Amino acid sequence: QVQLVESGGGLVQAGGSLRLSCAAPGSIFSLSTMAWGRQAPGKQREVVAVIRRGGSTSYTDSVRGRFTISRDNAKNTVYLQMNSLKPEDTAVYYCAAAPRGQGYEYWGQGTQVTVSS
């Protein structure tokens, strides 16, 4: 059973910052494109940030310029630095791993991020 373990969620005021972390098994992490997704109440889950094995990144339009995804290959950990948070960023945030380039096979249990106005 592959486990991705997220941490770092919480309650923050609009304009504030949070950093999420996700630890993965080394055997999976080293092979994987990693991503952060989120799901707000009543909405579908969406991927908001992706980082590939080589370090290239991509973001959905709604977070580009405010969120930064990074990875520490020595610690098998992926991060999401979230700045200038908005109430519409409120969601459960999940990390995901795609070790075979065929979609995200593994998802964490999620961490709640709540942004108050």
Side-chain angles (χ1 to χ4, degrees), residues 3-104:
Q3 283 192 315
L4 307 181
V5 182
E6 301 105 333
S7 61
L11 174 64
V12 64
Q13 288 188 332
S17 298
L18 283 174
R19 189 175 84 150
L20 307 182
S21 301
C22 171
S27 59
I28 296 298
F29 189 88
S30 62
L31 297 174
S32 294
T33 290
M34 300 295 296
W36 285 96
R38 67 185 181 186
Q39 187 167 20
K43 294 188 177 181
Q44 288 191 328
R45 186 160 54 187
E46 62 170 341
V47 173
V48 298
V50 176
I51 185 165
R52 298 165 190 84
R53 289 171 60 189
S56 64
T57 59
S58 56
Y59 301 91
T60 195
D61 287 348
S62 61
V63 308
R64 187 176 295 112
R66 299 187 298 121
F67 290 11
T68 302
I69 189 171
S70 60
R71 64 191 293 162
D72 185 332
N73 293 329
K75 295 182 178 180
N76 300 321
T77 300
V78 61
Y79 303 98
L80 186 67
Q81 178 66 44
M82 304 185 293
N83 298 328
S84 302
L85 283 161
K86 304 175 181 180
E88 52 262 44
D89 294 318
T90 295
V92 179
Y93 283 71
Y94 301 88
C95 73
R100 282 178 274 265
Q102 297 176 5
Y104 296 103

